[in-house]
């Protein structure tokens, strides 16, 4: 019964991930002003990774669940390898892309006026290409090692730690600048050079995405860590909780586009136009 419910949930999540992230990508195609903003290029990269989860990883997940439910052991073993490879690859790409988003917000608050000169959409496009290449390389390297999970788990935890450090530093700088705003007019001019209200809104969006990553991925990471430490007597845990937490981890591919649609006005306006079917003459929203 649990396997059947997970199949149904994964089908729903796959449909949501494909449809919502396709809308996000279509929004970028239709709206030139979104593509011109470097930080939005990273959001596009995350949407592409989430779309691939809905197209590849989640269908492989419920095919694997069906093979378990029907007792197709040959298909089960084959799908399990392919599913693990794509899941690891897309998880690494998603984690690294989100890390790039936190680094981008860190650079915006520290570089000030130099940010616009140094950070460009083209450079972030190259960064995304590098992330996908790095994810593919790590996936290939993973299958050449015997105890692969001993490598996977620390890598994901390190990426989470790096994000936590950058987010903490960003929050610290924002608090310091808020104090300066009330202290002296000169600091106001310095903060306004990076459009602090808009910056705070983008940081809040990043907080929501970070929260989604932690809530969806951390239970799965904690579970596979427990399984790796306590190998004996962990079979029942794997059968019951690991598939549940694995499904929860895939849910972030649906949550991310909802957050972006909710938090980014330009994207929300364009999506509404696309849904109404009037996207032939799209406005250049600024």
């Amino acid at each position: 019964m649990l396997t059947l419910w997970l199949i149904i949930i994964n089908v729903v999540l796959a449909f949501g991930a494909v449809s919502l992230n396709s809308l996000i990508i279509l929004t970028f195609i239709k709206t030139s002003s979104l593509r011109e903003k470097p930080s939005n290029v990273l959001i596009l990269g995350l949407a592409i990774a989430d779309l691939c989860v809905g197209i590849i990883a989640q269908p492989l997940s419920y095919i694997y669940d069906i093979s378990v439910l029907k007792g197709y052991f040959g298909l089960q073993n084959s799908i399990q390898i392919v599913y693990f490879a794509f899941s690891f690859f897309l998880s690494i790409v998603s984690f690294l892309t989100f890390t790039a988003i936190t680094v981008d917000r860190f650079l915006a608050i520290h570089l000030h006026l130099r940010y616009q000169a140094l950070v460009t959409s083209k450079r972030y496009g190259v960064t995304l290409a590098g992330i996908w290449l790095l994810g593919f390389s790590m996936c290939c390297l993973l299958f050449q090692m015997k105890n692969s999970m001993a490598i996977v788990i620390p890598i994901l935890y390190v990426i989470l730690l790096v994000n936590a450090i950058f987010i903490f530093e960003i929050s610290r700088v924002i608090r310091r600048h808020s104090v300066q705003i009330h202290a002296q007019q000169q600091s106001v001019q310095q903060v306004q050079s990076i459009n602090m209200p808009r910056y705070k809104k983008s940081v809040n969006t990043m907080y929501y995405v970070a929260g989604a990553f932690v809530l969806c991925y951390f239970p799965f990471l904690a579970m596979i860590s427990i399984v790796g430490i306590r190998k004996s007597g962990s079979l029942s845990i794997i059968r019951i909780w690991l598939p549940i937490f694995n499904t929860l981890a895939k849910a972030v591919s649906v949550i991310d586009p909802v957050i972006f649609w909710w938090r980014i006005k330009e994207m929300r306006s364009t999506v509404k136009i696309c849904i109404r079917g009037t996207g032939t003459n799209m406005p250049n929203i600024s």
Side-chain angles (χ1 to χ4, degrees):
M1 181 61 70
L2 175 61
T3 302
L4 180 60
W5 275 108
L6 289 177
I7 292 173
I8 295 172
I9 293 172
N10 275 288
V11 169
V12 173
L13 289 176
F15 176 78
V18 172
S19 57
L20 293 175
N21 286 289
S22 294
L23 276 176
I24 296 294
I25 295 171
L26 180 62
T27 300
F28 277 93
I29 294 175
K30 295 290 187 178
T31 312
S32 59
S33 60
L34 288 176
R35 298 192 303 271
E36 292 170 357
K37 190 175 180 180
S39 59
N40 285 339
V41 174
L42 299 178
I43 293 177
L44 175 62
L46 190 58
I48 293 173
D50 288 339
L51 176 64
C52 291
V53 171
I55 293 176
I56 302 174
Q58 284 172 323
L60 286 173
S61 176
Y62 55 74
I63 291 173
Y64 172 77
D65 290 336
I66 291 174
S67 67
V68 173
L69 191 64
K70 297 293 185 179
Y72 301 148
F73 298 108
L75 177 63
Q76 177 181 338
N77 293 332
S78 301
I79 291 295
Q80 186 177 24
I81 297 174
V82 178
Y83 170 65
F84 175 77
F86 276 104
S87 294
F88 173 74
F89 169 60
L90 293 174
S91 295
I92 288 294
V93 170
S94 296
F95 269 67
L96 291 177
T97 303
F98 176 69
T99 303
I101 293 174
T102 60
V103 172
D104 170 75
R105 296 297 81 198
F106 176 82
L107 292 177
I109 198 69
H110 279 270
L111 293 179
H112 299 292
L113 294 177
R114 289 184 299 161
Y115 172 82
Q116 295 181 353
L118 297 176
V119 177
T120 63
S121 297
K122 183 178 180 180
R123 288 178 178 176
Y124 273 165
V126 174
T127 299
L128 288 177
I131 287 174
W132 282 78
L133 181 60
L134 178 60
F136 179 76
S137 301
M138 291 175 64
C139 188
C140 294
L141 183 63
L142 182 67
F143 279 87
Q144 297 179 359
M145 299 179 178
K146 293 182 179 180
N147 192 6
S148 58
M149 293 307 296
I151 305 298
V152 172
I153 297 173
I155 287 175
L156 295 179
Y157 275 117
V158 167
I159 295 176
L160 282 176
L161 178 61
V162 169
N163 278 282
I165 292 173
F166 277 110
I167 290 174
F168 173 79
E169 180 63 20
I170 291 170
S171 301
R172 187 183 66 83
V173 173
I174 289 178
R175 286 196 300 268
R176 188 182 68 216
H177 281 199
S178 298
V179 172
Q180 291 176 346
I181 286 176
H182 294 89
Q184 48 184 326
Q185 184 65 27
Q186 183 179 359
S187 296
V188 173
Q189 295 174 354
Q190 180 184 11
V191 174
Q192 287 179 342
S193 67
I194 61 167
N195 197 332
M196 183 57 69
R198 181 178 295 180
Y199 176 79
K200 286 184 177 180
K201 184 177 180 180
S202 68
V203 168
N204 288 333
T205 302
M206 182 191 67
Y207 288 157
Y208 285 115
V209 176
F213 266 87
V214 172
L215 289 176
C216 292
Y217 268 102
F218 188 76
F220 177 71
L221 290 177
M223 181 56 63
I224 60 177
S225 300
I226 293 172
V227 171
I229 295 173
R230 299 181 58 185
K231 295 182 179 180
S232 60
S234 61
L235 187 58
S236 60
I237 297 178
I238 296 175
R239 287 178 176 175
I240 297 175
W241 291 106
L242 198 57
I244 295 175
F245 290 146
N246 188 26
T247 300
L248 178 62
K250 299 297 183 293
V252 74
S253 299
V254 179
I255 297 174
D256 285 344
V258 172
I259 293 173
F260 294 138
W261 181 84
W262 168 45
R263 297 290 301 175
I264 302 176
K265 182 180 179 181
E266 300 96 322
M267 191 174 295
R268 186 166 61 251
S269 301
T270 308
V271 167
K272 288 179 180 179
I273 295 174
C274 291
I275 293 175
R276 291 170 185 167
T278 59
T280 53
N281 296 314
M282 299 298 299
N284 187 348
I285 305 172
S286 58

